[in-house]
């Protein structure tokens, strides 16, 4: 284990995360808030100490796959620590556990909150809370790869350890360039959303906050009523569109931006995962609309507006709310609950198990049925016309089992702390899938403040495991990782 | 598709199922019950018509794998139909839907009931209700293979289509002999339990009924308070022991019976699935005892008695109750809920996903973690020292996905019928895993009587899918099965 290279990269990550506080600091100063002191202090101390560590371990660049896993896991913990300091030191969140929970919920784009009065946060801190979701959405390690002059060697390890989905695409042979392109596309679409929200009459501050958390499919909002506070069909439509876009593989956006218009559109359609994602979205919206037409009695356009917003918000694991969907039917609730587990596309900022896994598993299950009739025939699962090897299928199988084991173990701890079954399971499912709102006492109109401290730390671990898709964190438990070579 | 051979075997199955009503008929006559007429009628008509069909299609013996799936699925439906007639025709269960539900719950050893007053059933019918669980436990098709002079050719197809677990063992080269040995062992252990229960002071009728449903891990009881009605530590102990034994692979019992005593014991220990099953039982009992020690305040022996009984009852998906475990802690509830999904061993009468699948998946998940560090190394999962090929792992993967899809689709229908999420999910999970009692409004102290008729048919399908482990039924949906060759 090369500890010097780990120290160097963690230093750079801390410095970069702290430097990102410049925007909330400016907002705080501009708004005349009391929170500028704490933001300035953390910004200066974090950037300084991080840079110092990076300088002390300068020259260390040799890295193997094992260091990659350690760096990404510790990197996310370090960023979360830095991110929670403004909340904790300002007293806006009185306990360290709660501040760390909120920060982890931000970076992992979960969107679960322990705050009871969100609008009491000063403007600078409220913006920072949304901004950490944006940073975590595309990935802080990928961001560092894009902007910091480090390591040509270990980049791919870091990239793979953080990127969501079973097989991340390399858009270009050089990983630094891939990271830059992804972040570039992310920024371009974010600017487009800001402009669209401004055009709908939102002010700049709200547009900035909601764009950050839409594009990250995070779901934090500086408003207590979430997006419902604006009560505008146009704003709902814009946010629905951008949530959907944030749930698409950003490699597709890159290809579409690069191609001409018609060729660009075709890029999406040619991708089997995108077609699955679109079909799930449209199918679920249709079922929810039918249910709401019978049970709630919305008019058609109103129904379309609320139903599509909620379906996309939950499917992409964003977690914004407009209508009070707790009043909808049991069928609608169950559809939304199922969507949580499906999530967005691989290579998007959405959580869940990802559409590509669902698609590959469905094709595989169908082949297994056919195999029963012709046991000696060879069936091949294809994805975008390429054959998918048994390696990827067994990898997904391992992923599922680990997901189940973590779910069961975590839920067991939560019940041992005295939570009822629905709340215990709901809180674990909502954090492990990076959704945000759960079930029972952590439902969409409740918050996580009342969970015992130990339970909050279990959920913090769930959020991290979910965002890094289990393997990257759990591999730290294998003795081989720590053995000398 | 060879319709003649299908007709012939279905005829034999109907005849065999009807003939099995001789025992409840004798009990009814002996007890002077009013139900002897209906039992005698169904016995005579069913045996006669079934034998007639078998005679009409005599000589048909050629069978391929596709006929196997059709025969097993239709055979279970036919047996369920015959089994429900005494309940329906006697008026003991007034609607056909309810009678069919109760019969399917019996044959699949689920143990879910629509009866509100179990003790109102006449003695003959109550015994028949328990006896169909015993018939379904080891498998009606396997029984037919053992006792009826049919088909040397297609036997293996039928056996595999009905036998639980990813890879059924052939104890002998001839499938008829294997079926006879399995049923022989099943009968021997059943007789041992009857004698043990009589020695504890139970009367013959109760001993017979409870042995039928213990050995089948079914859980029906002629008593409203289930096994709790006897309030005897010795009876609880005997039933705990035999439930545990019924959850073990019957091939192991066969090997143990054949070997001498010390060699017999070693047969169990050498089997990795048995060790997993034992570890799960002991671990879960320890956790539940700890929880009950803190929360309920049982004495040690009382705690051991109630906790081990409930753990084994739920793990083997039997579903008997003694203590009112709804009063236990959330932790104990969650442990019991998790056990439902694990179930017994492959080749046992227990439901659930089976310990062997859990074991193979855990080993595989661990290998996947190690593979991350050494991507080019080859890791092999072993079971009882034999390497397990990727075929079996991908088969399990397909099984899981189908299980999830069926769960989601069925729960969605149940919510559309107006059931709340917990009841909808609980009823589907309890029937699909062949457990019996569910959650919410179908919990251990409730029954399934209030579910809408359409919902009952969905659950009937879930029970059948669960008992035949999905593939055998779902393969009927592939167009290839129905194509002419």
């Amino acid at each position: 284990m090369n500890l010097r290279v780990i120290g160097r990269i963690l230093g750079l990550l801390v410095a970069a995360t702290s430097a990102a506080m410049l925007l909330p600091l400016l907002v705080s100063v501009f708004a005349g808030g009391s929170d500028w002191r704490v933001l300035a202090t953390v910004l200066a101390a974090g950037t300084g100490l991080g840079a110092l560590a990076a300088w002390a371990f300068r020259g260390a660049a040799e890295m193997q796959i094992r260091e990659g896993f350690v760096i990404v896991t510790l990197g996310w913990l370090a960023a979360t620590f830095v991110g929670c300091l403004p909340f904790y030191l300002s007293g806006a969140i009185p306990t360290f556990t709660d501040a760390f929970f909120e920060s982890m919920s931000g970076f992992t784009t979960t969107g679960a909150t322990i705050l009871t009065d969100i609008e009491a946060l000063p403007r600078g801190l409220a913006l920072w809370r949304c901004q950490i979701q944006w940073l975590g959405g595309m990935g802080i390690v990928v961001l560092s790869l894009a902007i910091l002059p480090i390591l040509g060697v270990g980049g791919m390890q870091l990239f793979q350890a953080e990127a969501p989905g079973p097989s991340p695409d390399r858009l270009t042979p050089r990983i630094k360039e891939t990271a830059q392109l992804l972040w570039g596309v992310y920024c371009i679409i974010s600017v487009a959303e800001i402009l669209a929200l401004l055009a709908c009459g939102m002010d700049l501050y709200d547009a900035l906050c909601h764009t950050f958390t839409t594009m990250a499919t995070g779901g934090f909002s500086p408003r207590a009523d979430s997006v419902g506070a604006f009560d505008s069909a146009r704003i709902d439509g814009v946010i629905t569109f951008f949530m959907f876009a944030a749930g698409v593989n950003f490699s597709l956006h890159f290809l579409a931006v690069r191609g001409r218009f018609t060729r660009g559109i075709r890029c999406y359609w040619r991708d089997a995962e995108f077609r699955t994602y679109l079909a799930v979205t449209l199918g679920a919206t249709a079922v929810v609309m039918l249910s709401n037409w019978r049970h709630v009695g919305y008019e058609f356009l109103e129904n379309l507006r609320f139903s599509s917003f909620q379906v996309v918000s939950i499917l992409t694991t964003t977690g914004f709310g407009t209508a009070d969907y707790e009043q909808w039917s049991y069928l609608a609730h169950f559809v939304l609950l199922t969507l949580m587990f499906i999530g967005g596309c691989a290579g998007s900022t959405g959580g869940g198990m990802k559409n590509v896994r669902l698609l590959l598993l469905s094709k595989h299950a169908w082949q297994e049925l056919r195999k029963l009739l012709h046991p000696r025939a060879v069936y091949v699962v294809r994805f975008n016309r390429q054959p998918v090897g048994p390696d990827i299928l067994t990898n997904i199988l391992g992923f599922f089992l680990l997901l189940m084991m973590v779910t069961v173990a975590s839920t067991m701890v939560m019940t041992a702390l005295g939570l009822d079954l629905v709340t215990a399971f709901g809180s674990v499912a909502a954090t492990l899938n990076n959704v945000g709102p759960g079930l029972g006492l952590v439902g969409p109109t409740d918050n996580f403040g009342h969970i015992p401290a130990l339970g909050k730390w279990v959920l913090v671990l769930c959020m991290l495991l979910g965002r890094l898709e289990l393997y990257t964190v759990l591999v730290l438990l294998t003795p081989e990782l720590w053995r000398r070579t």
Side-chain angles (χ1 to χ4, degrees), chain A residues 294-342:
Chain A
R294 274 194 56 192
H295 290 272
V296 190
Y298 291 131
E299 284 168 46
F300 181 77
L301 281 179
E302 197 182 29
N303 194 351
L304 181 65
R305 170 187 162 193
F306 290 131
S307 302
S308 64
F309 185 93
Q310 211 55 61
V311 162
V312 174
S313 169
I314 299 279
L315 174 63
T316 58
T317 72
T318 306
F320 281 144
T322 47
D324 182 6
Y325 67 87
E326 291 209 308
Q327 305 303 320
W328 294 359
S329 74
Y330 292 132
L331 174 62
H333 287 172
F334 184 71
V335 170
L336 293 176
L337 187 67
T338 307
L339 295 180
M340 278 190 193
F341 286 87
I342 298 178

Short mmCIF file of all heavy atoms in Angstrom, two decimals, chain A residues 294-342:
data_model
loop_
_atom_site.label_atom_id
_atom_site.label_comp_id
_atom_site.label_asym_id
_atom_site.label_seq_id
_atom_site.Cartn_x
_atom_site.Cartn_y
_atom_site.Cartn_z
N ARG A 294 -58.76 8.03 -11.31
CA ARG A 294 -59.85 7.37 -10.58
C ARG A 294 -59.98 7.87 -9.15
O ARG A 294 -61.07 8.02 -8.63
CB ARG A 294 -59.63 5.86 -10.55
CG ARG A 294 -60.16 5.15 -11.76
CD ARG A 294 -60.20 3.65 -11.51
NE ARG A 294 -60.97 3.26 -10.34
CZ ARG A 294 -60.94 2.05 -9.81
NH1 ARG A 294 -60.18 1.13 -10.33
NH2 ARG A 294 -61.66 1.75 -8.74
N HIS A 295 -58.80 8.03 -8.47
CA HIS A 295 -58.84 8.23 -7.02
C HIS A 295 -58.76 9.68 -6.56
O HIS A 295 -59.25 10.01 -5.50
CB HIS A 295 -57.72 7.44 -6.35
CG HIS A 295 -57.95 5.97 -6.39
ND1 HIS A 295 -58.66 5.30 -5.43
CD2 HIS A 295 -57.60 5.04 -7.31
CE1 HIS A 295 -58.71 4.02 -5.74
NE2 HIS A 295 -58.08 3.83 -6.88
N VAL A 296 -58.03 10.52 -7.32
CA VAL A 296 -57.83 11.89 -6.85
C VAL A 296 -58.70 12.87 -7.61
O VAL A 296 -59.12 13.88 -7.06
CB VAL A 296 -56.34 12.30 -6.94
CG1 VAL A 296 -56.08 13.61 -6.24
CG2 VAL A 296 -55.45 11.19 -6.38
N GLY A 297 -58.98 12.56 -8.88
CA GLY A 297 -59.84 13.43 -9.65
C GLY A 297 -59.18 14.68 -10.19
O GLY A 297 -59.81 15.73 -10.32
N TYR A 298 -57.88 14.59 -10.51
CA TYR A 298 -57.22 15.71 -11.21
C TYR A 298 -57.80 15.87 -12.60
O TYR A 298 -58.27 14.90 -13.20
CB TYR A 298 -55.72 15.43 -11.39
CG TYR A 298 -54.87 15.43 -10.14
CD1 TYR A 298 -54.00 14.38 -9.88
CD2 TYR A 298 -54.90 16.49 -9.25
CE1 TYR A 298 -53.18 14.37 -8.77
CE2 TYR A 298 -54.09 16.49 -8.12
CZ TYR A 298 -53.24 15.43 -7.89
OH TYR A 298 -52.44 15.43 -6.79
N GLU A 299 -57.72 17.09 -13.17
CA GLU A 299 -57.95 17.26 -14.61
C GLU A 299 -56.77 16.66 -15.37
O GLU A 299 -55.69 16.47 -14.80
CB GLU A 299 -58.00 18.74 -14.97
CG GLU A 299 -59.29 19.43 -14.59
CD GLU A 299 -59.10 20.92 -14.72
OE1 GLU A 299 -58.56 21.35 -15.76
OE2 GLU A 299 -59.46 21.64 -13.78
N PHE A 300 -56.95 16.48 -16.70
CA PHE A 300 -55.93 15.78 -17.47
C PHE A 300 -54.55 16.44 -17.38
O PHE A 300 -53.56 15.80 -17.06
CB PHE A 300 -56.36 15.63 -18.93
CG PHE A 300 -55.34 14.88 -19.75
CD1 PHE A 300 -55.24 13.49 -19.66
CD2 PHE A 300 -54.44 15.54 -20.57
CE1 PHE A 300 -54.29 12.79 -20.38
CE2 PHE A 300 -53.47 14.85 -21.28
CZ PHE A 300 -53.40 13.47 -21.19
N LEU A 301 -54.48 17.75 -17.65
CA LEU A 301 -53.17 18.40 -17.69
C LEU A 301 -52.52 18.46 -16.32
O LEU A 301 -51.32 18.26 -16.17
CB LEU A 301 -53.30 19.81 -18.28
CG LEU A 301 -53.43 19.84 -19.80
CD1 LEU A 301 -53.57 21.28 -20.29
CD2 LEU A 301 -52.21 19.20 -20.46
N GLU A 302 -53.35 18.72 -15.31
CA GLU A 302 -52.90 18.76 -13.93
C GLU A 302 -52.35 17.37 -13.55
O GLU A 302 -51.29 17.24 -12.91
CB GLU A 302 -54.12 19.09 -13.08
CG GLU A 302 -53.90 19.58 -11.69
CD GLU A 302 -55.26 19.80 -11.00
OE1 GLU A 302 -56.26 19.12 -11.36
OE2 GLU A 302 -55.32 20.65 -10.12
N ASN A 303 -53.10 16.36 -13.97
CA ASN A 303 -52.71 14.97 -13.70
C ASN A 303 -51.38 14.66 -14.35
O ASN A 303 -50.46 14.13 -13.71
CB ASN A 303 -53.82 14.05 -14.24
CG ASN A 303 -53.69 12.62 -13.73
OD1 ASN A 303 -52.71 12.27 -13.09
ND2 ASN A 303 -54.69 11.80 -14.01
N LEU A 304 -51.25 15.05 -15.63
CA LEU A 304 -49.99 14.83 -16.35
C LEU A 304 -48.84 15.52 -15.63
O LEU A 304 -47.77 14.94 -15.42
CB LEU A 304 -50.12 15.37 -17.78
CG LEU A 304 -48.89 15.21 -18.67
CD1 LEU A 304 -48.60 13.73 -18.92
CD2 LEU A 304 -49.07 15.93 -20.00
N ARG A 305 -49.09 16.76 -15.22
CA ARG A 305 -48.05 17.55 -14.56
C ARG A 305 -47.58 16.90 -13.26
O ARG A 305 -46.39 16.63 -13.08
CB ARG A 305 -48.61 18.95 -14.27
CG ARG A 305 -47.75 19.80 -13.39
CD ARG A 305 -48.48 21.11 -13.04
NE ARG A 305 -47.90 21.76 -11.89
CZ ARG A 305 -48.48 22.76 -11.22
NH1 ARG A 305 -49.67 23.22 -11.60
NH2 ARG A 305 -47.87 23.28 -10.18
N PHE A 306 -48.52 16.59 -12.36
CA PHE A 306 -48.13 16.05 -11.06
C PHE A 306 -47.60 14.62 -11.16
O PHE A 306 -46.62 14.26 -10.51
CB PHE A 306 -49.31 16.10 -10.08
CG PHE A 306 -49.67 17.48 -9.64
CD1 PHE A 306 -50.99 17.93 -9.67
CD2 PHE A 306 -48.69 18.37 -9.21
CE1 PHE A 306 -51.32 19.22 -9.27
CE2 PHE A 306 -49.01 19.66 -8.80
CZ PHE A 306 -50.33 20.09 -8.84
N SER A 307 -48.26 13.82 -11.99
CA SER A 307 -47.86 12.41 -12.07
C SER A 307 -46.48 12.26 -12.70
O SER A 307 -45.63 11.53 -12.19
CB SER A 307 -48.89 11.61 -12.88
OG SER A 307 -50.16 11.72 -12.29
N SER A 308 -46.26 12.96 -13.83
CA SER A 308 -44.96 12.79 -14.49
C SER A 308 -43.84 13.35 -13.61
O SER A 308 -42.77 12.77 -13.50
CB SER A 308 -44.97 13.47 -15.86
OG SER A 308 -45.14 14.86 -15.71
N PHE A 309 -44.11 14.47 -12.93
CA PHE A 309 -43.10 15.04 -12.04
C PHE A 309 -42.70 14.03 -10.98
O PHE A 309 -41.52 13.76 -10.75
CB PHE A 309 -43.62 16.32 -11.38
CG PHE A 309 -42.59 17.03 -10.54
CD1 PHE A 309 -41.82 18.04 -11.09
CD2 PHE A 309 -42.37 16.67 -9.22
CE1 PHE A 309 -40.86 18.69 -10.33
CE2 PHE A 309 -41.41 17.31 -8.45
CZ PHE A 309 -40.65 18.32 -9.00
N GLN A 310 -43.71 13.43 -10.32
CA GLN A 310 -43.40 12.54 -9.21
C GLN A 310 -42.74 11.27 -9.68
O GLN A 310 -41.80 10.78 -9.04
CB GLN A 310 -44.69 12.24 -8.43
CG GLN A 310 -44.45 12.01 -6.97
CD GLN A 310 -43.71 13.18 -6.32
OE1 GLN A 310 -44.20 14.30 -6.30
NE2 GLN A 310 -42.50 12.94 -5.83
N VAL A 311 -43.19 10.74 -10.82
CA VAL A 311 -42.57 9.52 -11.35
C VAL A 311 -41.10 9.77 -11.66
O VAL A 311 -40.22 9.01 -11.25
CB VAL A 311 -43.33 9.04 -12.61
CG1 VAL A 311 -42.49 8.07 -13.41
CG2 VAL A 311 -44.64 8.38 -12.20
N VAL A 312 -40.81 10.86 -12.36
CA VAL A 312 -39.42 11.13 -12.74
C VAL A 312 -38.60 11.46 -11.50
O VAL A 312 -37.44 11.03 -11.38
CB VAL A 312 -39.35 12.26 -13.79
CG1 VAL A 312 -37.91 12.64 -14.08
CG2 VAL A 312 -40.04 11.82 -15.06
N SER A 313 -39.18 12.19 -10.56
CA SER A 313 -38.46 12.56 -9.35
C SER A 313 -38.05 11.32 -8.55
O SER A 313 -36.94 11.25 -8.02
CB SER A 313 -39.34 13.46 -8.48
OG SER A 313 -38.79 13.64 -7.21
N ILE A 314 -38.93 10.33 -8.48
CA ILE A 314 -38.62 9.13 -7.70
C ILE A 314 -37.74 8.18 -8.50
O ILE A 314 -36.78 7.61 -7.99
CB ILE A 314 -39.92 8.42 -7.25
CG1 ILE A 314 -40.76 9.34 -6.37
CG2 ILE A 314 -39.61 7.12 -6.54
CD1 ILE A 314 -40.35 9.42 -4.94
N LEU A 315 -38.07 8.01 -9.79
CA LEU A 315 -37.29 7.08 -10.61
C LEU A 315 -35.82 7.49 -10.67
O LEU A 315 -34.93 6.66 -10.56
CB LEU A 315 -37.87 7.02 -12.03
CG LEU A 315 -37.08 6.20 -13.05
CD1 LEU A 315 -37.02 4.73 -12.65
CD2 LEU A 315 -37.67 6.33 -14.44
N THR A 316 -35.57 8.78 -10.83
CA THR A 316 -34.17 9.23 -10.89
C THR A 316 -33.58 9.35 -9.50
O THR A 316 -32.44 9.76 -9.34
CB THR A 316 -34.08 10.60 -11.58
OG1 THR A 316 -34.90 11.52 -10.85
CG2 THR A 316 -34.56 10.54 -13.01
N THR A 317 -34.35 9.01 -8.47
CA THR A 317 -33.95 9.11 -7.06
C THR A 317 -33.62 10.55 -6.66
O THR A 317 -32.77 10.78 -5.80
CB THR A 317 -32.75 8.20 -6.71
OG1 THR A 317 -31.56 8.72 -7.29
CG2 THR A 317 -32.98 6.78 -7.16
N THR A 318 -34.30 11.51 -7.31
CA THR A 318 -34.10 12.91 -6.91
C THR A 318 -34.80 13.16 -5.58
O THR A 318 -34.16 13.54 -4.60
CB THR A 318 -34.66 13.86 -7.99
OG1 THR A 318 -34.07 13.51 -9.24
CG2 THR A 318 -34.33 15.30 -7.65
N GLY A 319 -36.11 12.95 -5.57
CA GLY A 319 -36.83 13.10 -4.31
C GLY A 319 -37.53 14.43 -4.11
O GLY A 319 -38.03 14.72 -3.03
N PHE A 320 -37.60 15.27 -5.17
CA PHE A 320 -38.40 16.50 -5.08
C PHE A 320 -39.88 16.13 -4.93
O PHE A 320 -40.31 15.07 -5.40
CB PHE A 320 -38.29 17.32 -6.36
CG PHE A 320 -37.03 18.14 -6.49
CD1 PHE A 320 -36.43 18.30 -7.73
CD2 PHE A 320 -36.47 18.79 -5.39
CE1 PHE A 320 -35.29 19.07 -7.88
CE2 PHE A 320 -35.33 19.56 -5.53
CZ PHE A 320 -34.73 19.70 -6.78
N GLY A 321 -40.67 17.03 -4.33
CA GLY A 321 -42.10 16.81 -4.27
C GLY A 321 -42.86 18.03 -4.76
O GLY A 321 -42.39 19.16 -4.61
N THR A 322 -44.01 17.81 -5.38
CA THR A 322 -44.91 18.94 -5.68
C THR A 322 -46.26 18.65 -5.04
O THR A 322 -46.61 19.25 -4.04
CB THR A 322 -45.07 19.18 -7.20
OG1 THR A 322 -45.33 17.94 -7.83
CG2 THR A 322 -43.86 19.84 -7.79
N ALA A 323 -46.98 17.67 -5.59
CA ALA A 323 -48.28 17.31 -5.00
C ALA A 323 -48.04 16.52 -3.71
O ALA A 323 -46.96 15.99 -3.48
CB ALA A 323 -49.06 16.45 -5.98
N ASP A 324 -49.05 16.45 -2.86
CA ASP A 324 -48.95 15.64 -1.65
C ASP A 324 -49.28 14.21 -2.02
O ASP A 324 -50.40 13.75 -1.88
CB ASP A 324 -49.92 16.16 -0.59
CG ASP A 324 -49.77 15.36 0.70
OD1 ASP A 324 -48.85 14.53 0.78
OD2 ASP A 324 -50.57 15.59 1.61
N TYR A 325 -48.26 13.48 -2.49
CA TYR A 325 -48.55 12.16 -3.03
C TYR A 325 -48.85 11.13 -1.96
O TYR A 325 -49.18 9.99 -2.27
CB TYR A 325 -47.45 11.69 -3.99
CG TYR A 325 -46.10 11.42 -3.38
CD1 TYR A 325 -45.79 10.19 -2.84
CD2 TYR A 325 -45.12 12.40 -3.39
CE1 TYR A 325 -44.54 9.94 -2.31
CE2 TYR A 325 -43.86 12.16 -2.86
CZ TYR A 325 -43.58 10.92 -2.32
OH TYR A 325 -42.35 10.67 -1.80
N GLU A 326 -48.73 11.50 -0.69
CA GLU A 326 -49.16 10.56 0.35
C GLU A 326 -50.67 10.36 0.29
O GLU A 326 -51.18 9.40 0.86
CB GLU A 326 -48.73 11.05 1.74
CG GLU A 326 -47.22 10.98 1.93
CD GLU A 326 -46.83 10.76 3.39
OE1 GLU A 326 -47.31 11.52 4.23
OE2 GLU A 326 -46.05 9.82 3.66
N GLN A 327 -51.40 11.29 -0.39
CA GLN A 327 -52.84 11.15 -0.53
C GLN A 327 -53.22 10.25 -1.70
O GLN A 327 -54.39 9.93 -1.89
CB GLN A 327 -53.50 12.52 -0.74
CG GLN A 327 -53.17 13.54 0.34
CD GLN A 327 -53.55 13.05 1.72
OE1 GLN A 327 -54.59 12.44 1.90
NE2 GLN A 327 -52.68 13.26 2.70
N TRP A 328 -52.25 9.87 -2.53
CA TRP A 328 -52.58 9.05 -3.70
C TRP A 328 -52.89 7.61 -3.26
O TRP A 328 -52.74 7.25 -2.10
CB TRP A 328 -51.41 9.07 -4.71
CG TRP A 328 -51.17 10.44 -5.32
CD1 TRP A 328 -51.89 11.58 -5.08
CD2 TRP A 328 -50.15 10.80 -6.24
NE1 TRP A 328 -51.38 12.62 -5.80
CE2 TRP A 328 -50.31 12.17 -6.52
CE3 TRP A 328 -49.11 10.12 -6.87
CZ2 TRP A 328 -49.46 12.86 -7.41
CZ3 TRP A 328 -48.28 10.80 -7.74
CH2 TRP A 328 -48.47 12.16 -8.01
N SER A 329 -53.26 6.79 -4.26
CA SER A 329 -53.71 5.43 -3.92
C SER A 329 -52.53 4.53 -3.56
O SER A 329 -51.38 4.86 -3.82
CB SER A 329 -54.44 4.82 -5.12
OG SER A 329 -53.51 4.47 -6.12
N TYR A 330 -52.86 3.35 -2.97
CA TYR A 330 -51.81 2.37 -2.65
C TYR A 330 -51.08 1.92 -3.90
O TYR A 330 -49.88 1.68 -3.88
CB TYR A 330 -52.43 1.16 -1.95
CG TYR A 330 -52.98 1.45 -0.58
CD1 TYR A 330 -54.24 1.01 -0.20
CD2 TYR A 330 -52.20 2.14 0.36
CE1 TYR A 330 -54.74 1.26 1.07
CE2 TYR A 330 -52.71 2.40 1.63
CZ TYR A 330 -53.96 1.96 1.98
OH TYR A 330 -54.45 2.20 3.23
N LEU A 331 -51.82 1.80 -5.00
CA LEU A 331 -51.19 1.37 -6.25
C LEU A 331 -50.12 2.37 -6.67
O LEU A 331 -48.99 2.00 -7.00
CB LEU A 331 -52.24 1.23 -7.35
CG LEU A 331 -51.71 0.91 -8.75
CD1 LEU A 331 -50.98 -0.42 -8.77
CD2 LEU A 331 -52.83 0.90 -9.78
N ALA A 332 -50.48 3.66 -6.62
CA ALA A 332 -49.51 4.70 -6.99
C ALA A 332 -48.29 4.65 -6.06
O ALA A 332 -47.15 4.76 -6.51
CB ALA A 332 -50.17 6.07 -6.94
N HIS A 333 -48.55 4.45 -4.76
CA HIS A 333 -47.42 4.36 -3.82
C HIS A 333 -46.50 3.21 -4.18
O HIS A 333 -45.28 3.34 -4.15
CB HIS A 333 -47.95 4.13 -2.40
CG HIS A 333 -48.58 5.34 -1.81
ND1 HIS A 333 -49.25 5.31 -0.62
CD2 HIS A 333 -48.64 6.61 -2.25
CE1 HIS A 333 -49.70 6.53 -0.35
NE2 HIS A 333 -49.35 7.31 -1.33
N PHE A 334 -47.11 2.07 -4.53
CA PHE A 334 -46.27 0.91 -4.79
C PHE A 334 -45.47 1.10 -6.07
O PHE A 334 -44.30 0.70 -6.15
CB PHE A 334 -47.11 -0.37 -4.86
CG PHE A 334 -46.26 -1.57 -5.05
CD1 PHE A 334 -45.46 -2.01 -4.01
CD2 PHE A 334 -46.18 -2.22 -6.26
CE1 PHE A 334 -44.62 -3.10 -4.17
CE2 PHE A 334 -45.35 -3.31 -6.44
CZ PHE A 334 -44.58 -3.75 -5.38
N VAL A 335 -46.09 1.72 -7.08
CA VAL A 335 -45.35 2.00 -8.32
C VAL A 335 -44.15 2.89 -8.00
O VAL A 335 -43.02 2.63 -8.42
CB VAL A 335 -46.27 2.65 -9.37
CG1 VAL A 335 -45.46 3.16 -10.55
CG2 VAL A 335 -47.31 1.65 -9.85
N LEU A 336 -44.38 3.94 -7.20
CA LEU A 336 -43.28 4.85 -6.87
C LEU A 336 -42.19 4.11 -6.09
O LEU A 336 -41.00 4.30 -6.33
CB LEU A 336 -43.82 6.05 -6.07
CG LEU A 336 -44.75 6.99 -6.84
CD1 LEU A 336 -45.29 8.09 -5.93
CD2 LEU A 336 -44.03 7.63 -8.03
N LEU A 337 -42.62 3.25 -5.17
CA LEU A 337 -41.64 2.51 -4.36
C LEU A 337 -40.79 1.61 -5.25
O LEU A 337 -39.57 1.49 -5.06
CB LEU A 337 -42.40 1.66 -3.33
CG LEU A 337 -41.56 0.94 -2.29
CD1 LEU A 337 -40.90 1.96 -1.38
CD2 LEU A 337 -42.43 0.01 -1.46
N THR A 338 -41.42 0.98 -6.24
CA THR A 338 -40.66 0.11 -7.14
C THR A 338 -39.65 0.92 -7.96
O THR A 338 -38.53 0.49 -8.17
CB THR A 338 -41.64 -0.61 -8.10
OG1 THR A 338 -42.64 -1.26 -7.31
CG2 THR A 338 -40.92 -1.64 -8.94
N LEU A 339 -40.09 2.12 -8.38
CA LEU A 339 -39.21 2.96 -9.19
C LEU A 339 -37.92 3.30 -8.44
O LEU A 339 -36.84 3.36 -9.04
CB LEU A 339 -39.93 4.25 -9.59
CG LEU A 339 -41.13 4.09 -10.52
CD1 LEU A 339 -41.73 5.46 -10.83
CD2 LEU A 339 -40.75 3.38 -11.81
N MET A 340 -38.04 3.54 -7.13
CA MET A 340 -36.86 3.86 -6.30
C MET A 340 -35.74 2.87 -6.53
O MET A 340 -34.58 3.22 -6.55
CB MET A 340 -37.21 3.72 -4.81
CG MET A 340 -37.89 4.88 -4.20
SD MET A 340 -37.89 4.59 -2.42
CE MET A 340 -39.07 5.84 -1.95
N PHE A 341 -36.12 1.57 -6.61
CA PHE A 341 -35.11 0.54 -6.71
C PHE A 341 -34.51 0.46 -8.11
O PHE A 341 -33.40 0.00 -8.28
CB PHE A 341 -35.69 -0.81 -6.30
CG PHE A 341 -35.88 -0.92 -4.82
CD1 PHE A 341 -37.03 -0.48 -4.21
CD2 PHE A 341 -34.87 -1.43 -4.02
CE1 PHE A 341 -37.19 -0.56 -2.84
CE2 PHE A 341 -35.02 -1.52 -2.66
CZ PHE A 341 -36.19 -1.08 -2.05
N ILE A 342 -35.27 0.89 -9.10
CA ILE A 342 -34.77 0.82 -10.47
C ILE A 342 -33.73 1.92 -10.71
O ILE A 342 -32.61 1.66 -11.12
CB ILE A 342 -35.93 0.93 -11.48
CG1 ILE A 342 -36.89 -0.24 -11.28
CG2 ILE A 342 -35.40 0.97 -12.90
CD1 ILE A 342 -38.10 -0.20 -12.19
#
